[in-house]
Amino acid sequence: MKKLITMAIAFSLIFGIFIGVGNEKASAAPAPDLTSVRITGFSVNGTKWETIGVNQSKAETPVTTTDTIYIRVLFTGYPLTYLAYSNDVNLSHKKVINYQTTPVVDSNKIVTGFVYYFKVESSDLPNDSITIKGINQLGQIVNGNTVSFDRE
């Protein structure tokens, strides 16, 4: 009798598990539109970062012609891609390389944007400034800030 009850309980647990499988509903919110693009960090070695404030237009870190410049850019929303400029001169993706991307997650564990890390050789910039722009899912350009710097 004890064996029969144990088997009945085991059967009902297994049967209950299989009934529950597949009944979960998955739902996804639409990806948030790209609303802003902002350079938030600047570095010449990729390890020691200067934070670029909201109203800051010039990096305090000096750059030499042989330096590799690293910039950290916050994309709020989902970018389709990006454009890089140096004083209105369009730079190709071959020159400005996205070498790392980190998602920005809110308290509900929903991705609200991305931090892109870019690097570019100082010698590839025709001027002493860089601007990153984003392109949203509709192909529209979202302007970002420009950060200038001094070359030594």
Side-chain angles (χ1 to χ4, degrees), residues 89-119:
V89 175
N90 190 357
L91 305 168
S92 72
H93 286 147
K94 291 178 185 176
K95 292 183 179 181
V96 179
I97 299 168
N98 174 13
Y99 68 92
Q100 182 179 341
T101 302
T102 306
V104 176
V105 180
D106 69 9
S107 60
N108 294 321
K109 306 214 184 303
I110 295 174
V111 176
T112 59
F114 295 90
V115 175
Y116 280 31
Y117 292 85
F118 297 102
K119 67 181 179 178

mmCIF file of all heavy atoms in Angstrom, residues 89-119:
data_model
loop_
_atom_site.group_PDB
_atom_site.id
_atom_site.type_symbol
_atom_site.label_atom_id
_atom_site.label_comp_id
_atom_site.label_asym_id
_atom_site.label_seq_id
_atom_site.Cartn_x
_atom_site.Cartn_y
_atom_site.Cartn_z
ATOM 1 N N VAL A 89 34.148 66.083 -41.094
ATOM 2 C CA VAL A 89 34.755 65.110 -41.998
ATOM 3 C C VAL A 89 34.299 63.723 -41.526
ATOM 4 O O VAL A 89 34.565 63.328 -40.392
ATOM 5 C CB VAL A 89 36.298 65.194 -41.994
ATOM 6 C CG1 VAL A 89 36.893 64.092 -42.850
ATOM 7 C CG2 VAL A 89 36.751 66.568 -42.460
ATOM 8 N N ASN A 90 33.569 63.025 -42.392
ATOM 9 C CA ASN A 90 33.051 61.700 -42.038
ATOM 10 C C ASN A 90 34.211 60.703 -42.001
ATOM 11 O O ASN A 90 34.963 60.578 -42.956
ATOM 12 C CB ASN A 90 31.991 61.261 -43.051
ATOM 13 C CG ASN A 90 31.252 60.011 -42.614
ATOM 14 O OD1 ASN A 90 31.543 59.419 -41.580
ATOM 15 N ND2 ASN A 90 30.277 59.609 -43.411
ATOM 16 N N LEU A 91 34.329 60.001 -40.866
ATOM 17 C CA LEU A 91 35.364 58.979 -40.709
ATOM 18 C C LEU A 91 34.719 57.621 -40.937
ATOM 19 O O LEU A 91 33.603 57.364 -40.516
ATOM 20 C CB LEU A 91 35.957 59.044 -39.298
ATOM 21 C CG LEU A 91 36.495 60.404 -38.874
ATOM 22 C CD1 LEU A 91 36.786 60.409 -37.388
ATOM 23 C CD2 LEU A 91 37.744 60.739 -39.674
ATOM 24 N N SER A 92 35.434 56.737 -41.568
ATOM 25 C CA SER A 92 34.878 55.408 -41.835
ATOM 26 C C SER A 92 34.946 54.534 -40.592
ATOM 27 O O SER A 92 35.680 54.826 -39.650
ATOM 28 C CB SER A 92 35.639 54.731 -42.976
ATOM 29 O OG SER A 92 36.922 54.334 -42.525
ATOM 30 N N HIS A 93 34.166 53.436 -40.601
ATOM 31 C CA HIS A 93 34.215 52.467 -39.511
ATOM 32 C C HIS A 93 35.560 51.763 -39.453
ATOM 33 O O HIS A 93 35.893 51.139 -38.452
ATOM 34 C CB HIS A 93 33.095 51.434 -39.651
ATOM 35 C CG HIS A 93 31.759 51.988 -39.294
ATOM 36 N ND1 HIS A 93 30.620 51.573 -39.898
ATOM 37 C CD2 HIS A 93 31.368 52.926 -38.404
ATOM 38 C CE1 HIS A 93 29.581 52.217 -39.403
ATOM 39 N NE2 HIS A 93 30.011 53.045 -38.498
ATOM 40 N N LYS A 94 36.348 51.852 -40.519
ATOM 41 C CA LYS A 94 37.686 51.261 -40.502
ATOM 42 C C LYS A 94 38.627 52.075 -39.627
ATOM 43 O O LYS A 94 39.599 51.567 -39.095
ATOM 44 C CB LYS A 94 38.245 51.172 -41.923
ATOM 45 C CG LYS A 94 37.518 50.161 -42.776
ATOM 46 C CD LYS A 94 38.076 50.145 -44.173
ATOM 47 C CE LYS A 94 37.261 49.208 -45.040
ATOM 48 N NZ LYS A 94 37.694 49.227 -46.432
ATOM 49 N N LYS A 95 38.356 53.371 -39.503
ATOM 50 C CA LYS A 95 39.208 54.236 -38.691
ATOM 51 C C LYS A 95 38.721 54.316 -37.248
ATOM 52 O O LYS A 95 39.521 54.333 -36.326
ATOM 53 C CB LYS A 95 39.270 55.638 -39.303
ATOM 54 C CG LYS A 95 40.012 55.670 -40.630
ATOM 55 C CD LYS A 95 40.122 57.059 -41.161
ATOM 56 C CE LYS A 95 40.885 57.062 -42.480
ATOM 57 N NZ LYS A 95 41.027 58.390 -43.024
ATOM 58 N N VAL A 96 37.417 54.428 -37.058
ATOM 59 C CA VAL A 96 36.848 54.507 -35.713
ATOM 60 C C VAL A 96 36.207 53.155 -35.427
ATOM 61 O O VAL A 96 35.185 52.810 -35.997
ATOM 62 C CB VAL A 96 35.815 55.645 -35.597
ATOM 63 C CG1 VAL A 96 35.227 55.700 -34.199
ATOM 64 C CG2 VAL A 96 36.454 56.975 -35.957
ATOM 65 N N ILE A 97 36.833 52.409 -34.539
ATOM 66 C CA ILE A 97 36.441 51.013 -34.313
ATOM 67 C C ILE A 97 35.714 50.870 -32.978
ATOM 68 O O ILE A 97 36.209 51.314 -31.946
ATOM 69 C CB ILE A 97 37.685 50.099 -34.335
ATOM 70 C CG1 ILE A 97 38.363 50.201 -35.705
ATOM 71 C CG2 ILE A 97 37.323 48.657 -33.995
ATOM 72 C CD1 ILE A 97 39.735 49.576 -35.749
ATOM 73 N N ASN A 98 34.551 50.243 -33.032
ATOM 74 C CA ASN A 98 33.819 49.889 -31.806
ATOM 75 C C ASN A 98 34.430 48.582 -31.303
ATOM 76 O O ASN A 98 34.203 47.537 -31.878
ATOM 77 C CB ASN A 98 32.337 49.727 -32.115
ATOM 78 C CG ASN A 98 31.535 49.225 -30.930
ATOM 79 O OD1 ASN A 98 32.008 49.216 -29.814
ATOM 80 N ND2 ASN A 98 30.319 48.807 -31.190
ATOM 81 N N TYR A 99 35.203 48.653 -30.224
ATOM 82 C CA TYR A 99 35.882 47.453 -29.744
ATOM 83 C C TYR A 99 35.191 46.796 -28.557
ATOM 84 O O TYR A 99 35.567 45.700 -28.165
ATOM 85 C CB TYR A 99 37.353 47.743 -29.418
ATOM 86 C CG TYR A 99 37.584 48.638 -28.226
ATOM 87 C CD1 TYR A 99 37.768 48.094 -26.962
ATOM 88 C CD2 TYR A 99 37.630 50.013 -28.367
ATOM 89 C CE1 TYR A 99 37.989 48.911 -25.867
ATOM 90 C CE2 TYR A 99 37.849 50.820 -27.291
ATOM 91 C CZ TYR A 99 38.028 50.273 -26.037
ATOM 92 O OH TYR A 99 38.236 51.095 -24.958
ATOM 93 N N GLN A 100 34.187 47.455 -27.999
ATOM 94 C CA GLN A 100 33.448 46.850 -26.891
ATOM 95 C C GLN A 100 32.087 47.517 -26.777
ATOM 96 O O GLN A 100 31.961 48.725 -26.980
ATOM 97 C CB GLN A 100 34.223 47.027 -25.584
ATOM 98 C CG GLN A 100 33.565 46.396 -24.383
ATOM 99 C CD GLN A 100 34.412 46.592 -23.119
ATOM 100 O OE1 GLN A 100 35.600 46.876 -23.178
ATOM 101 N NE2 GLN A 100 33.785 46.446 -21.978
ATOM 102 N N THR A 101 31.068 46.735 -26.450
ATOM 103 C CA THR A 101 29.720 47.260 -26.228
ATOM 104 C C THR A 101 29.175 46.647 -24.952
ATOM 105 O O THR A 101 29.267 45.441 -24.753
ATOM 106 C CB THR A 101 28.792 46.907 -27.414
ATOM 107 O OG1 THR A 101 29.357 47.431 -28.609
ATOM 108 C CG2 THR A 101 27.402 47.476 -27.224
ATOM 109 N N THR A 102 28.608 47.497 -24.101
ATOM 110 C CA THR A 102 28.034 47.045 -22.838
ATOM 111 C C THR A 102 26.593 47.520 -22.771
ATOM 112 O O THR A 102 26.333 48.719 -22.943
ATOM 113 C CB THR A 102 28.825 47.628 -21.646
ATOM 114 O OG1 THR A 102 30.198 47.303 -21.796
ATOM 115 C CG2 THR A 102 28.303 47.098 -20.331
ATOM 116 N N PRO A 103 25.632 46.630 -22.512
ATOM 117 C CA PRO A 103 24.247 47.082 -22.393
ATOM 118 C C PRO A 103 24.026 47.880 -21.107
ATOM 119 O O PRO A 103 24.667 47.619 -20.085
ATOM 120 C CB PRO A 103 23.436 45.787 -22.374
ATOM 121 C CG PRO A 103 24.402 44.723 -21.996
ATOM 122 C CD PRO A 103 25.761 45.188 -22.378
ATOM 123 N N VAL A 104 23.126 48.841 -21.160
ATOM 124 C CA VAL A 104 22.696 49.601 -19.985
ATOM 125 C C VAL A 104 21.357 49.005 -19.562
ATOM 126 O O VAL A 104 20.422 48.953 -20.369
ATOM 127 C CB VAL A 104 22.546 51.104 -20.308
ATOM 128 C CG1 VAL A 104 22.002 51.866 -19.112
ATOM 129 C CG2 VAL A 104 23.876 51.674 -20.768
ATOM 130 N N VAL A 105 21.272 48.539 -18.325
ATOM 131 C CA VAL A 105 20.096 47.821 -17.847
ATOM 132 C C VAL A 105 19.461 48.610 -16.700
ATOM 133 O O VAL A 105 20.165 49.071 -15.797
ATOM 134 C CB VAL A 105 20.500 46.404 -17.369
ATOM 135 C CG1 VAL A 105 19.299 45.630 -16.869
ATOM 136 C CG2 VAL A 105 21.196 45.652 -18.484
ATOM 137 N N ASP A 106 18.128 48.763 -16.732
ATOM 138 C CA ASP A 106 17.452 49.464 -15.645
ATOM 139 C C ASP A 106 17.164 48.513 -14.482
ATOM 140 O O ASP A 106 17.551 47.339 -14.508
ATOM 141 C CB ASP A 106 16.184 50.165 -16.143
ATOM 142 C CG ASP A 106 15.063 49.222 -16.548
ATOM 143 O OD1 ASP A 106 15.156 48.004 -16.303
ATOM 144 O OD2 ASP A 106 14.072 49.713 -17.122
ATOM 145 N N SER A 107 16.472 49.000 -13.463
ATOM 146 C CA SER A 107 16.219 48.200 -12.261
ATOM 147 C C SER A 107 15.323 46.992 -12.529
ATOM 148 O O SER A 107 15.319 46.038 -11.756
ATOM 149 C CB SER A 107 15.597 49.073 -11.168
ATOM 150 O OG SER A 107 14.375 49.614 -11.618
ATOM 151 N N ASN A 108 14.587 47.011 -13.631
ATOM 152 C CA ASN A 108 13.730 45.877 -13.998
ATOM 153 C C ASN A 108 14.438 44.907 -14.930
ATOM 154 O O ASN A 108 13.815 44.038 -15.524
ATOM 155 C CB ASN A 108 12.440 46.371 -14.660
ATOM 156 C CG ASN A 108 11.592 47.151 -13.693
ATOM 157 O OD1 ASN A 108 11.486 46.797 -12.524
ATOM 158 N ND2 ASN A 108 10.997 48.233 -14.172
ATOM 159 N N LYS A 109 15.744 45.087 -15.097
ATOM 160 C CA LYS A 109 16.574 44.241 -15.945
ATOM 161 C C LYS A 109 16.195 44.340 -17.430
ATOM 162 O O LYS A 109 16.296 43.389 -18.177
ATOM 163 C CB LYS A 109 16.568 42.799 -15.459
ATOM 164 C CG LYS A 109 16.962 42.656 -14.001
ATOM 165 C CD LYS A 109 17.720 41.401 -13.755
ATOM 166 C CE LYS A 109 18.045 41.155 -12.318
ATOM 167 N NZ LYS A 109 18.759 42.092 -11.582
ATOM 168 N N ILE A 110 15.745 45.522 -17.826
ATOM 169 C CA ILE A 110 15.398 45.791 -19.217
ATOM 170 C C ILE A 110 16.505 46.660 -19.811
ATOM 171 O O ILE A 110 16.920 47.660 -19.216
ATOM 172 C CB ILE A 110 14.036 46.499 -19.325
ATOM 173 C CG1 ILE A 110 12.941 45.550 -18.826
ATOM 174 C CG2 ILE A 110 13.761 46.948 -20.751
ATOM 175 C CD1 ILE A 110 11.568 46.173 -18.734
ATOM 176 N N VAL A 111 16.991 46.278 -20.982
ATOM 177 C CA VAL A 111 18.042 47.041 -21.652
ATOM 178 C C VAL A 111 17.450 48.349 -22.172
ATOM 179 O O VAL A 111 16.473 48.351 -22.918
ATOM 180 C CB VAL A 111 18.675 46.229 -22.804
ATOM 181 C CG1 VAL A 111 19.695 47.065 -23.561
ATOM 182 C CG2 VAL A 111 19.311 44.954 -22.269
ATOM 183 N N THR A 112 18.051 49.473 -21.737
ATOM 184 C CA THR A 112 17.557 50.792 -22.139
ATOM 185 C C THR A 112 18.523 51.530 -23.053
ATOM 186 O O THR A 112 18.224 52.618 -23.523
ATOM 187 C CB THR A 112 17.288 51.666 -20.895
ATOM 188 O OG1 THR A 112 18.510 51.803 -20.166
ATOM 189 C CG2 THR A 112 16.213 51.047 -20.010
ATOM 190 N N GLY A 113 19.686 50.944 -23.285
ATOM 191 C CA GLY A 113 20.674 51.575 -24.137
ATOM 192 C C GLY A 113 21.967 50.786 -24.118
ATOM 193 O O GLY A 113 22.006 49.658 -23.614
ATOM 194 N N PHE A 114 23.004 51.412 -24.649
ATOM 195 C CA PHE A 114 24.296 50.744 -24.735
ATOM 196 C C PHE A 114 25.420 51.753 -24.525
ATOM 197 O O PHE A 114 25.292 52.916 -24.904
ATOM 198 C CB PHE A 114 24.485 50.092 -26.112
ATOM 199 C CG PHE A 114 23.514 48.986 -26.366
ATOM 200 C CD1 PHE A 114 22.295 49.240 -26.967
ATOM 201 C CD2 PHE A 114 23.806 47.690 -25.990
ATOM 202 C CE1 PHE A 114 21.385 48.229 -27.196
ATOM 203 C CE2 PHE A 114 22.901 46.667 -26.214
ATOM 204 C CZ PHE A 114 21.689 46.932 -26.812
ATOM 205 N N VAL A 115 26.507 51.279 -23.954
ATOM 206 C CA VAL A 115 27.738 52.056 -23.907
ATOM 207 C C VAL A 115 28.673 51.421 -24.926
ATOM 208 O O VAL A 115 28.964 50.230 -24.850
ATOM 209 C CB VAL A 115 28.374 52.052 -22.501
ATOM 210 C CG1 VAL A 115 29.711 52.772 -22.527
ATOM 211 C CG2 VAL A 115 27.433 52.693 -21.482
ATOM 212 N N TYR A 116 29.084 52.220 -25.909
ATOM 213 C CA TYR A 116 30.033 51.768 -26.917
ATOM 214 C C TYR A 116 31.398 52.339 -26.565
ATOM 215 O O TYR A 116 31.508 53.500 -26.176
ATOM 216 C CB TYR A 116 29.649 52.291 -28.307
ATOM 217 C CG TYR A 116 28.558 51.553 -29.023
ATOM 218 C CD1 TYR A 116 27.519 50.919 -28.362
ATOM 219 C CD2 TYR A 116 28.540 51.524 -30.415
ATOM 220 C CE1 TYR A 116 26.521 50.263 -29.054
ATOM 221 C CE2 TYR A 116 27.534 50.873 -31.111
ATOM 222 C CZ TYR A 116 26.533 50.246 -30.416
ATOM 223 O OH TYR A 116 25.539 49.605 -31.104
ATOM 224 N N TYR A 117 32.419 51.527 -26.750
ATOM 225 C CA TYR A 117 33.799 51.970 -26.573
ATOM 226 C C TYR A 117 34.451 51.968 -27.948
ATOM 227 O O TYR A 117 34.467 50.954 -28.632
ATOM 228 C CB TYR A 117 34.543 51.034 -25.624
ATOM 229 C CG TYR A 117 34.030 51.105 -24.203
ATOM 230 C CD1 TYR A 117 32.942 50.344 -23.794
ATOM 231 C CD2 TYR A 117 34.631 51.951 -23.276
ATOM 232 C CE1 TYR A 117 32.477 50.409 -22.496
ATOM 233 C CE2 TYR A 117 34.169 52.021 -21.968
ATOM 234 C CZ TYR A 117 33.090 51.249 -21.589
ATOM 235 O OH TYR A 117 32.619 51.326 -20.302
ATOM 236 N N PHE A 118 34.970 53.146 -28.337
ATOM 237 C CA PHE A 118 35.595 53.319 -29.639
ATOM 238 C C PHE A 118 37.068 53.630 -29.485
ATOM 239 O O PHE A 118 37.493 54.197 -28.479
ATOM 240 C CB PHE A 118 34.957 54.487 -30.398
ATOM 241 C CG PHE A 118 33.511 54.305 -30.725
ATOM 242 C CD1 PHE A 118 32.528 54.944 -29.986
ATOM 243 C CD2 PHE A 118 33.120 53.513 -31.791
ATOM 244 C CE1 PHE A 118 31.191 54.794 -30.297
ATOM 245 C CE2 PHE A 118 31.779 53.360 -32.111
ATOM 246 C CZ PHE A 118 30.815 53.998 -31.365
ATOM 247 N N LYS A 119 37.826 53.282 -30.514
ATOM 248 C CA LYS A 119 39.217 53.711 -30.561
ATOM 249 C C LYS A 119 39.522 54.197 -31.968
ATOM 250 O O LYS A 119 38.960 53.715 -32.954
ATOM 251 C CB LYS A 119 40.167 52.597 -30.135
ATOM 252 C CG LYS A 119 40.231 51.407 -31.058
ATOM 253 C CD LYS A 119 41.201 50.379 -30.504
ATOM 254 C CE LYS A 119 41.264 49.168 -31.406
ATOM 255 N NZ LYS A 119 42.238 48.179 -30.917
#
